[in-house]
Every structure is written in structure tokens, then in C-alpha cells.
Amino acid sequence: MSAPDAPADAAAAPLAPAGPVRQRKAGDRRATAGQWTLVWWRFRRHKLAMTGLVITLLIYLMAIFADFVGPVPPHETNARYTYAPPQAVHFFLRDADGGLSFSPHVYGFKVELDPVALRRTFVIDEAKVIPIGFFVKGAPHKVLGLFETDRHLVGPKNPSDPFFLLGAARLGRDVFSRTVHGGRISMSIGLVGVTLSLVIGTLLGGLSGYLGGWVDASVQRVIEVIRSIPTIPLWMGLAASVPLTWHPLAVYFAITIILSLVGWTTIARIVRGKFLSLRSEDFVTSAVLDGASSLRVIRVHMLPAMTSYIIAATTLAIPIMILSETALSFIGLGLQPPLISWGVLLKEAQNIRSLATAPWLFAPGVAVVIAVLSLSFLGDGLRDAADPYQR
């Protein structure tokens, strides 16, 4: 009986150390992987950061293709549907025989007179079924400004039917379309503003941390002065200096520059601290002994070593830019109509009617919260993954 058992034991013997072998292979992969591969492996384990990445990408895609995503042009008015409530989407329709069929639709409105407030109110009329679909015909528009089309992602199959996913505003404008278009400016002003802040902060923070001495002292005093001024009064003072006669596009760039001039200090502090720790490293000392200039040491050796930290800091700074633009536009010192941003849309909701009977006008505020949270989660994940060698 012992002879037949021997082959079974021999066959089973190599399977015993399978776990340690797999762990050893995983360790070998980590030992030979590059820095960006390690950063990605660590980042994708951060569930909230991955969720933030997906939501952020969706928001930017919706902003880029806003004309296609929005059912109607953002400035289109319809006096018949002033302050019309949101229409719920229904996916199944009951036919005359009582059966259900898949047919996405919304219900129309009927107008009734409120005997107490003596104003008209909208009531959902289930007798009027409005079929909706994807890639339906609507108002013509240009995709990315390149080619013209009349197709929209979602909308009523009959373009003349009312369709308000998030309700209508004071002039009967579609809140959903305006919110999607508002994301273009609010999200882009964060990118452009952070890019300018990144250039200024990296330059001054790098020089401050690498050269030290009076350069470091001067830059740090400037940063302390800027950070000591209350943020909102500083924004108000700078924004109020923008002439009212300027073109809205010029105002957009002016507000972007204003936010950049205030926001570069955080990135500069981060870059300075990292440069202070890197300038004593062996590879920096070797580059200096080889005769490399200060600019080459910073550009070729030090900046690549902290690229991941800069990306993380930049991602965390974008929500601050978005909130800054929203706050300025909300108090009337930022962007002005006909430009559409989330702050401009929230400014239009500053009335008792919005709070009492039209809460859907605050949909841009929900968009701000979602965008800021997703970018914050994304930034937290990048910050944690920036040093893939830490435990």
C-alpha cells in the first residue's frame, strides 16, 4: 500500500510552497518596476481615488461635449415654462391591455391657478406622454467647433415638446443644459488657473529651496504677506479692479489670472520643502560636481524626482480654484452673463422664489459639490501614491 502512495506524495510536494513563490514573484515585480508603475499600482488600490477619477473624467467629458449632452441651447428661452419643475424619466409604459413595454418617456405639464398665491403652477399631466430617446434631433450645434450636427445625446423625439430634466429657470431656460455648459468655464478655469499657479509656484519655490539665503528669505516673506491677507477681501479687491466695459472673455482671463496670483503660494511651499530635502541627495551632489549649472540641476535632476508630488498638489489645488470662481461670481464680482458658470447660475438663484418654490435652481451647487469632492478624492489618492515606496 505504500508504493501507490509515493507518487501522490511526490506530486503534491511541489504545490506546498506555491504561496511563497507567488509572493516572491510579486516582490520581484515591485523591485524591477518603474516609479510610475508603482504609483499606478498604489493609486488603483485607493477606491475613493478611483471613483473620483471616473467622476472627474465624466464631468470634463460632459463639459467638453456640452452642446451634445444638453438637450437645448443654454440661452434658449420659453416663456410658457417659467419655473417649470423637473420631469421624472419613466422607462416602462402601460398599454391599453395592461401590459408593460419598454418606452422611455416623461409626462407633460398642465397649468393650474393657485387660488391662494394667485399664480400659475405646473402640474404633471400623465395623459400627455412625451417619448424620449438617445441621439435625437434638436437644435443644430458644432461639436468641438469643427463640424455641425443636430444630434443630442438625450431629448424628446419631438423637439417642440417640453423636456426639463432639472426643471426650468426664470426665463424658461433648461437648468440641466445650463449646468452642463457652466461646467465648461468652472472646470476649465480651475485647470488654467492651476497651470499658471504651477508655473509661478514651481519657479519661485524651486529657486527658494535650491538657492536658499536671501532668495529663500525674500520669497518666503512674499508668500507670508499674501497668505496673511484674508482671501475673500483680496479676491474682491482684485476683481473689483476689472473694468465693467471689458469683453466677457477678457473678464474670464482676468479672473483666471487673479486666482493664479493668489493660489501659487501653496504649490511654492510644497516645492520648496521638497527641494530642501533633495538638494542634499547624492545624485544632486554628483551633478554639481560634474559642473552642471543650477538651472540644469533643477530641470533635469530635481524636478523629475518630485513630479508625482507636484501632480498631487496640483490636483488638490483645482477644487480651490473652482470654489474661488464660484464665490466671486456668486457675489457679483466674478464672471457676468452672458457667460455661464456655476457661480453665475447660483447668483441667478438668489431670490426667495428659488428657496420657496424652485429649489432645482440650486442644481449648479450640487455640481460644485460633486466636482470638488471627486477632485479632492483624486488628489488624496495621488498624494498617497506619490511615494510608492512608503508602507
Side-chain angles (χ1 to χ4, degrees):
M1 295 299 293
S2 60
D5 294 338
D9 294 338
L15 298 179
V21 169
R22 282 195 295 268
Q23 293 177 1
R24 214 165 34 243
K25 289 182 178 179
D28 294 340
R29 289 179 60 198
R30 286 194 294 268
T32 58
Q35 181 183 5
W36 290 108
T37 303
L38 293 173
V39 169
W40 167 245
W41 287 348
R42 189 178 182 89
F43 174 79
R44 69 183 182 182
R45 292 201 301 267
H46 199 301
K47 302 303 181 183
L48 283 178
M50 289 296 294
T51 303
L53 175 62
V54 172
I55 295 176
T56 300
L57 291 177
L58 287 176
I59 292 175
Y60 274 109
L61 284 176
M62 291 179 66
I64 292 172
F65 299 99
D67 294 310
F68 172 68
V69 175
V72 297
H75 297 291
E76 181 177 298
T77 61
N78 193 331
R80 294 178 55 190
Y81 299 103
T82 301
Y83 292 117
Q87 295 168 283
V89 177
H90 304 272
F91 293 96
F92 295 94
L93 183 64
R94 190 176 298 276
D95 54 27
D97 299 330
L100 292 177
S101 61
F102 181 75
S103 178
H105 65 280
V106 296
Y107 294 116
F109 297 111
K110 60 181 179 181
V111 180
E112 296 182 354
L113 182 64
D114 188 343
V116 178
L118 297 179
R119 66 167 179 261
R120 64 176 188 172
T121 58
F122 291 93
V123 180
I124 297 297
D125 184 6
E126 296 188 1
K128 184 177 181 180
V129 177
I130 302 175
I132 62 175
F134 291 99
F135 306 105
V136 297
K137 288 188 176 181
H141 61 91
K142 284 189 175 182
V143 178
L144 299 177
L146 300 177
F147 57 91
E148 187 170 329
T149 180
D150 60 355
R151 295 291 174 175
H152 294 260
L153 177 63
V154 63
K157 295 183 177 180
N158 183 0
S160 61
D161 287 334
F163 181 64
F164 303 104
L165 282 176
L166 296 180
R170 181 171 56 89
L171 298 178
R173 293 169 173 166
D174 181 33
V175 173
F176 175 73
S177 297
R178 290 174 67 78
T179 301
V180 172
H181 279 80
R184 276 185 170 177
I185 288 182
S186 294
M187 298 300 288
S188 66
I189 207 169
L191 282 179
V192 177
V194 165
T195 301
L196 293 176
S197 296
L198 177 63
V199 173
I200 300 173
T202 303
L203 177 62
L204 296 181
L207 292 175
S208 176
Y210 181 75
L211 298 178
W214 67 269
V215 176
D216 183 25
S218 301
V219 173
Q220 294 312 305
R221 298 299 82 75
V222 172
I223 292 176
E224 290 168 3
V225 169
I226 293 176
R227 295 176 69 91
S228 65
I229 303 175
T231 306
I232 293 180
L234 180 60
W235 288 340
M236 294 175 63
L238 293 174
S241 63
V242 178
L244 298 177
T245 57
W246 279 16
H247 189 274
L249 189 60
V251 175
Y252 167 79
F253 284 108
I255 296 299
T256 304
I257 294 173
I258 288 171
L259 296 177
S260 303
L261 292 176
V262 178
W264 65 270
T265 56
T266 301
I267 296 178
R269 281 279 177 89
I270 295 173
V271 172
R272 172 185 178 268
K274 193 63 180 175
F275 268 51
L276 287 174
S277 62
L278 286 177
R279 69 179 184 179
S280 59
E281 294 289 337
D282 292 341
F283 68 91
V284 175
T285 305
S286 299
V288 173
L289 293 176
D290 284 341
S293 62
S294 298
L295 181 60
R296 179 174 177 80
V297 172
I298 293 174
R299 181 174 56 86
V300 177
H301 300 281
M302 301 183 73
L303 278 180
M306 58 174 301
T307 303
S308 55
Y309 293 93
I310 294 177
I311 293 175
T314 301
T315 308
L316 290 171
I318 294 177
I320 300 175
M321 292 287 180
I322 295 174
L323 291 174
S324 302
E325 180 277 323
T326 303
L328 279 176
S329 299
F330 181 74
I331 62 180
L333 292 174
L335 303 175
Q336 302 291 334
L339 292 179
I340 302 175
S341 72
W342 290 335
V344 172
L345 295 178
L346 288 174
K347 182 178 182 298
E348 295 177 356
Q350 294 183 62
N351 53 68
I352 300 300
R353 175 70 182 272
S354 301
L355 293 173
T357 61
W360 53 85
L361 295 183
F362 294 96
V366 178
V368 171
V369 173
I370 294 174
V372 169
L373 285 178
S374 62
L375 284 165
S376 297
F377 291 149
L378 175 60
D380 287 340
L382 288 173
R383 182 181 57 192
D384 294 341
D387 189 0
Y389 300 101
Q390 66 180 357
R391 294 292 180 180

